Amino acid sequence: MRPTGKLHLGNYMGALANWVKLQEQYECYFFIADLHALTTDYADTSKVAPNTLEVALDFLAAGLDPEKCTIFVQSHVKQHYELPLLLGMITPLGWLERVPSYKEMQENLANKDLTMYGFLGYPVLMASDILLYQADFVPVGQDQQAHVELTREVARRFNQFYKIDGQEVLPEPKVLLTPSPKLPGTDGRKMSKSYGNTIMLADPEAEVRRKLKTMVTDPARIRRTDAGDPDKCPVGDLHKVFSTPETLTKVYDGCRSAGIGCIECKGWAADGLVQVLQPIQERRASFTIPQVKEILAEGSNRAHARAAQTMQQVRAAMQMTLTGEAGQ
Ligand code: SF4
């Protein structure tokens, strides 16, 4: 995850909540992608470090457990600089230019000059992030599948060129498609920091309730006496994710019969949200910054050890070790 600062409910439901489950089943590596932040925020790097710490705090607050998974900072593991350079030698430019998010991000971030070598190469950085751990699976949503596909192609190409005693070194990772429920922001669009429509994991209860009060509703329900439809209402979408089945029944019945008002309905949605956020916020408050730094340092050491094993094999396969004899 990029170091974007404090995380919001969309980040939680779209990724973190799944990761918390995955750490029970798999050997997982989760990192804060500060090198990726540089691909777009190269001109002002002052926010990268503080934002990295905020994301780490939210990882821990959400329930990632450093005893069960490895949590680290990308740039603290030097192999994340090393492998992209080697993979960059064999990745055709055309592959990078056709990554869907390449054009999309250039258009979305039109105020930034993204005609940079680093930005074009970010899928190689991403492929390296995965291949360094010889990962079997990458937990991603549908929109990230193209990146994993490119990673598979890069691994395949590497394995075609280089082997150790006929053995392939970089396994092709598979997509582990993670469910990400539709989570609208307060304006009804997808919850996103760039839209300014987020509910943050660290928002206190009063702030959550205030934000919900201004949230858009079913546009057909103009007056209190008009019937509405929770399936056409962003607040209805929140209920589907966070409310109990009993509350959901009350919402459907009350909305469709105009038996409840939107203010009341939003209050129930806030109750559901607060219920989810409370334990997250309690965990967040239980960590100090020095503790977080220590967890990241330990995680980075662990990741470094694992990545070093892969790099040893990569270098051997590419014959970048001086084991041969001169002139032979
Ligand atoms: S009652 Fe609830 S679900 Fe229906 S329009 Fe109002 S906020 Fe949306």
Side-chain angles (χ1 to χ4, degrees):
M1 201 176 275
R2 275 179 176 236
T4 48
K6 286 195 175 95
L7 300 178
H8 56 72
L9 263 178
N11 303 126
Y12 178 70
M13 293 311 297
L16 276 176
N18 293 314
W19 297 358
V20 170
K21 290 186 200 132
L22 291 175
Q23 69 179 345
E24 305 292 342
Q25 289 168 270
Y26 298 92
E27 182 193 346
C28 295
Y29 290 82
F30 300 113
F31 67 86
I32 299 144
D34 56 348
L35 294 176
H36 282 279
L38 301 185
T39 61
T40 50
D41 299 329
Y42 53 84
D44 177 8
T45 56
S46 61
K47 303 274 183 328
V48 176
N51 284 351
T52 296
L53 284 172
E54 291 288 2
V55 171
L57 257 173
D58 276 336
F59 276 13
L60 296 165
L64 288 186
D65 180 348
E67 301 288 323
K68 295 180 180 166
C69 65
T70 302
I71 306 170
F72 66 100
V73 181
Q74 184 189 23
S75 74
H76 295 187
V77 178
K78 70 173 184 172
Q79 289 83 358
H80 284 267
Y81 303 81
E82 217 176 333
L83 189 57
L85 187 122
L86 296 177
L87 295 183
M89 302 298 173
I90 60 163
T91 307
L93 272 183
W95 290 10
L96 302 176
E97 284 160 348
R98 74 173 153 80
V99 171
S101 52
Y102 176 63
K103 284 253 144 51
E104 218 176 275
M105 273 175 86
Q106 272 187 329
E107 281 158 20
N108 288 348
L109 300 174
N111 56 337
K112 282 186 186 155
D113 182 3
L114 293 182
T115 56
M116 299 296 148
Y117 171 61
F119 180 68
L120 176 67
Y122 88 82
V124 180
L125 191 59
M126 208 177 262
S128 307
D129 298 336
I130 299 164
L131 297 173
L132 267 178
Y133 302 92
Q134 297 173 313
D136 296 311
F137 298 104
V138 193
V140 289
Q142 218 134 21
D143 54 335
Q144 287 285 318
Q145 285 196 77
H147 286 120
V148 181
E149 191 43 52
L150 184 87
T151 303
R152 291 169 60 83
E153 285 177 272
V154 171
R156 209 172 305 148
R157 194 165 161 86
F158 182 93
N159 292 331
Q160 273 165 7
F161 286 131
Y162 320 113
K163 289 188 172 60
I164 302 178
D165 300 330
Q167 297 290 314
E168 294 186 348
V169 167
L170 299 178
E172 289 180 38
K174 293 185 193 68
V175 165
L176 191 69
L177 208 55
T178 51
S180 42
K182 187 177 169 199
L183 202 77
T186 48
D187 61 357
R189 293 186 289 176
K190 185 183 171 185
M191 191 178 288
S192 161
K193 214 169 177 185
S194 46
Y195 294 148
N197 64 1
T198 55
I199 295 164
M200 308 305 287
L201 292 182
D203 275 348
E205 178 170 347
E207 181 70 359
V208 173
R209 293 190 184 277
R210 189 193 64 75
K211 284 182 176 175
L212 276 201
K213 268 192 191 133
T214 61
M215 186 153 180
V216 297
T217 56
D218 176 0
R221 199 165 185 213
I222 300 161
R223 283 175 297 265
R224 168 71 175 78
T225 48
D226 295 333
D229 183 354
D231 288 335
K232 294 183 182 143
C233 172
V235 181
D237 288 329
L238 286 187
H239 275 296
K240 282 177 218 163
V241 179
F242 298 106
S243 294
T244 61
E246 297 77 48
T247 305
L248 204 55
T249 309
K250 279 199 301 184
V251 170
Y252 271 98
D253 292 349
C255 180
R256 286 175 172 162
S257 64
I260 56 168
C262 288
I263 297 283
E264 191 178 9
C265 179
K266 287 172 168 183
W268 297 340
D271 293 342
L273 283 183
V274 168
Q275 201 86 50
V276 171
L277 292 179
Q278 207 173 21
I280 294 177
Q281 295 178 354
E282 278 169 14
R283 262 194 304 268
R284 196 177 214 275
S286 73
F287 288 98
T288 62
I289 292 296
Q291 275 172 331
V292 176
K293 286 184 180 170
E294 202 179 305
I295 288 167
L296 291 174
E298 272 172 28
S300 299
N301 282 343
R302 239 185 291 164
H304 181 279
R306 182 62 190 85
Q309 283 175 23
T310 307
M311 279 314 298
Q312 207 175 6
Q313 293 176 27
V314 164
R315 271 193 298 269
M318 293 182 80
Q319 304 184 62
M320 303 292 287
T321 52
L322 292 179
T323 51
E325 285 174 36
Q328 291 201 331

